[in-house]
Amino acid sequence: MADSKRTISIGVFDSGIGGLTVVKKIREKIPQAAVVYLGDTARVPYGTKSEETIKRFAREDAAFLIEKGVDLIVVACNTASSVALGYLKREFMNMPIFGVVEPGVKMAAEISEEKHIGIIGTIATIKSHAHKKALENRGITTVFEKACPLFVPLAEEGFTEGKIPELIAEHYLRDIKNRVDTIILGCTHYPILMNVIRNVVGEDIRLIDPAKAVADEVYEFLKSTDSLPEEGRGSLDLYLTDIPPHYHSLLNIFLGFTPDTIEKVDLKEISSC
Amino acid sequence: MADSKRTISIGVFDSGIGGLTVVKKIREKIPQAAVVYLGDTARVPYGTKSEETIKRFAREDAAFLIEKGVDLIVVACNTASSVALGYLKREFMNMPIFGVVEPGVKMAAEISEEKHIGIIGTIATIKSHAHKKALENRGITTVFEKACPLFVPLAEEGFTEGKIPELIAEHYLRDIKNRVDTIILGCTHYPILMNVIRNVVGEDIRLIDPAKAVADEVYEFLKSTDSLPEEGRGSLDLYLTDIPPHYHSLLNIFLGFTPDTIEKVDLKEISSC
């Protein structure tokens, strides 16, 4: 790890803009860190694509952040964390890499009283059973999984309240809500729909947003390796593979403040050719 | 153009699977042709991305089809047709290239009685104003445009009837439906939602699916260049940049029959490196 005197650089990547919800929590917990974020907005979403393609994309994303000199990598994308984390750790053995599955599962396992836990996520995340396996490793076997593919476009289009998102949430969650006391929001977009999901599942179910748990884990890691930067104002540099027409409103939805820099990059120039 | 004795090879590309609705019409009109289809399923959708990125993707798609030896190219994707058709024609000057915008506009202009025409499509398609400009070139100036970004995920998730798609269609179409007598379905996914859209706009509005108009245009072109193949059973070879987990159900929704071959390809290997 880097010397604690210099600023720690935390690389974060996601299939798109959604992972900025994780960046927000990291900045709250470790405001002095330099965060380098890569959003693969040219190829978003990952959650409807195959395991093979998601692994390739995740490798290219991680390689880009390593080129940028980051000290560790956070895979903010639940789909990439579910499908490709082990693969990334093998490909980049010297780089500390953190996913969002394990921290979310740990938090859910601690909070759930009945140990009946639900997972909602993209098609690829649910198909991987990554959360289910991680819960089973903790002895929790009453697990309900549900893919909610329309939640991502709903969040991105700003349909975060009203009858349309509520009907869709009701459609996805009506079976799961009577069977669990805790639901893991297994996609960075879902916290944007928190109110809608809350209205559908009621007040008694705990909703777990892994973003805070990930930030805590990174903080503990830096502390344990004596790498926590002591001062400095920190920074956020944003790299996007596409600058979509509506990215200003997306930044506003997911981040809520302006990054220090925003730059468009082509991953192929760096890692594939 | 190729000799009419040999089978004509028609290249078709789309951001994903949706363009197979165009293939279906081409096969009905010219069953003896060999169709080579490229679906860029690894990077789908295009409609939420920037003009620059859409142009780059479209160039790579067209280059792939040219490598495969096609005699002409149909850009089945409305987004790529709206944003990149002129660019593609300049890049590949010796290749006949057809888009879906002009045929749809021609059909709408002929059918509309009041010449009050609506266009619905992706964010990028509507932002390009490609249909609007093409209608204005025909002297039609009463044009209403509306982006309907949730229609693509709805169609892909099979939400093709019931309250959820109807509420969403009502949300998008309530303003436009009282102002026009004809609506162009400016996205290959939208015909899948035809019943829902029909229920919302009522029986009096004409809904234009450009797919048939494109097939007619290609047929007329082949006829006029004496290139119509006289016999042969035709074929459909499908190339996809990703084989998504749910592609079987998508093929069923958009095509309804089994292609002769299906192969996964990596565009970068062919056109960028």
Side-chain angles (χ1 to χ4, degrees), chain A residues 198-269:
Chain A
R198 170 62 66 211
N199 286 347
V200 167
V201 301
E203 291 300 323
D204 295 338
I205 291 181
R206 300 293 296 262
L207 298 175
I208 305 291
D209 173 8
K212 200 189 158 297
V214 179
D216 290 347
E217 193 173 305
V218 170
Y219 179 88
E220 290 305 324
F221 171 78
L222 292 175
K223 203 173 154 192
S224 72
T225 55
D226 204 20
S227 311
L228 265 184
E230 279 171 23
E231 53 190 46
R233 85 164 184 92
S235 58
L236 171 58
D237 294 306
L238 205 61
Y239 295 93
L240 302 174
T241 55
D242 181 46
I243 307 287
H246 57 315
Y247 88 103
H248 266 302
S249 73
L250 289 179
L251 280 190
N252 198 33
I253 292 173
F254 290 101
L255 190 64
F257 64 87
T258 307
D260 295 81
T261 64
I262 302 178
E263 195 180 312
K264 181 174 172 291
V265 288
D266 186 349
L267 292 189
K268 286 188 297 189
E269 289 170 13

Side-chain angles (χ1 to χ4, degrees), chain A:
Chain A
M1 286 299 300
D3 190 299
S4 66
K5 303 281 178 306
R6 82 167 183 88
T7 299
I8 284 290
S9 176
I10 300 174
V12 181
F13 78 82
D14 180 48
S15 59
I17 302 278
L20 289 171
T21 56
V22 174
V23 168
K24 220 170 156 177
K25 295 295 176 190
I26 290 174
R27 294 272 290 170
E28 281 168 27
K29 186 81 187 181
I30 318 164
Q32 65 275 40
V35 177
V36 179
Y37 182 89
L38 172 66
D40 192 8
T41 39
R43 305 188 291 195
V44 71
Y46 288 0
T48 52
K49 291 161 194 173
S50 70
E51 186 179 321
E52 187 189 343
T53 292
I54 295 162
K55 281 180 175 166
R56 177 164 68 87
F57 289 173
R59 182 175 52 72
E60 291 169 3
D61 298 337
F64 173 86
L65 291 173
I66 290 168
E67 283 268 332
K68 290 285 163 198
V70 300
D71 297 300
L72 61 91
I73 290 176
V74 176
V75 185
C77 175
N78 279 267
T79 299
S81 292
S82 296
V83 168
L85 189 66
Y87 167 75
L88 288 178
K89 285 183 172 177
R90 286 190 299 277
E91 288 281 304
F92 305 104
M93 289 189 67
N94 297 320
M95 178 61 52
I97 304 181
F98 299 84
V100 285
V101 172
E102 192 56 40
V105 160
K106 183 167 174 268
M107 200 177 177
E110 283 166 6
I111 282 177
S112 171
E113 285 177 15
E114 297 169 22
K115 311 300 178 198
H116 292 186
I117 296 179
I119 325 286
I120 57 177
T122 64
I123 292 173
T125 295
I126 295 305
K127 200 167 163 277
S128 77
H129 305 300
H131 296 82
K132 189 168 196 256
K133 288 174 199 161
L135 284 164
E136 285 170 356
N137 287 343
R138 292 170 183 273
I140 296 174
T141 54
T142 309
V143 179
F144 297 91
E145 302 167 293
K146 183 73 185 177
C148 308
L150 285 178
F151 277 2
V152 168
L154 275 179
E156 295 222 338
E157 297 312 326
F159 279 93
T160 55
E161 53 184 35
K163 205 164 178 185
I164 288 172
E166 277 195 20
L167 267 179
I168 293 171
E170 177 66 31
H171 172 84
Y172 287 136
L173 304 176
R174 64 184 157 217
D175 288 337
I176 211 173
K177 70 178 181 182
N178 299 319
R179 299 180 179 179
V180 300
D181 70 346
T182 303
I183 294 177
I184 299 172
L185 305 180
C187 175
T188 49
H189 282 76
Y190 296 180
I192 308 297
L193 298 169
M194 186 73 96
N195 290 343
V196 169
I197 295 170
R198 170 62 66 211
N199 286 347
V200 167
V201 301
E203 291 300 323
D204 295 338
I205 291 181
R206 300 293 296 262
L207 298 175
I208 305 291
D209 173 8
K212 200 189 158 297
V214 179
D216 290 347
E217 193 173 305
V218 170
Y219 179 88
E220 290 305 324
F221 171 78
L222 292 175
K223 203 173 154 192
S224 72
T225 55
D226 204 20
S227 311
L228 265 184
E230 279 171 23
E231 53 190 46
R233 85 164 184 92
S235 58
L236 171 58
D237 294 306
L238 205 61
Y239 295 93
L240 302 174
T241 55
D242 181 46
I243 307 287
H246 57 315
Y247 88 103
H248 266 302
S249 73
L250 289 179
L251 280 190
N252 198 33
I253 292 173
F254 290 101
L255 190 64
F257 64 87
T258 307
D260 295 81
T261 64
I262 302 178
E263 195 180 312
K264 181 174 172 291
V265 288
D266 186 349
L267 292 189
K268 286 188 297 189
E269 289 170 13
I270 287 151
S271 59
S272 298
C273 292

Side-chain angles (χ1 to χ4, degrees), chain B residues 128 145 170 190 202-203 229 243 253 259 270:
Chain B
S128 77
E145 302 166 293
E170 177 66 32
Y190 295 180
E203 291 300 323
I243 307 286
I253 292 173
I270 287 151

Side-chain angles (χ1 to χ4, degrees), chain B residues 9-24 26-27 34-41 44 61 64-65 68 70 74-77 156 188-189 235-241 251 254-255 259 261-265 267:
Chain B
S9 176
I10 300 174
V12 181
F13 78 82
D14 180 48
S15 58
I17 302 278
L20 289 172
T21 56
V22 175
V23 168
K24 220 170 156 178
I26 290 173
R27 294 271 290 170
V35 177
V36 179
Y37 182 89
L38 173 65
D40 192 9
T41 39
V44 70
D61 298 338
F64 173 86
L65 291 173
K68 290 286 164 197
V70 301
V74 176
V75 185
C77 174
E156 295 222 340
T188 49
H189 282 76
S235 58
L236 172 57
D237 294 305
L238 205 62
Y239 295 92
L240 301 174
T241 55
L251 280 189
F254 290 101
L255 190 63
T261 64
I262 302 178
E263 195 179 314
K264 181 173 174 291
V265 288
L267 291 188

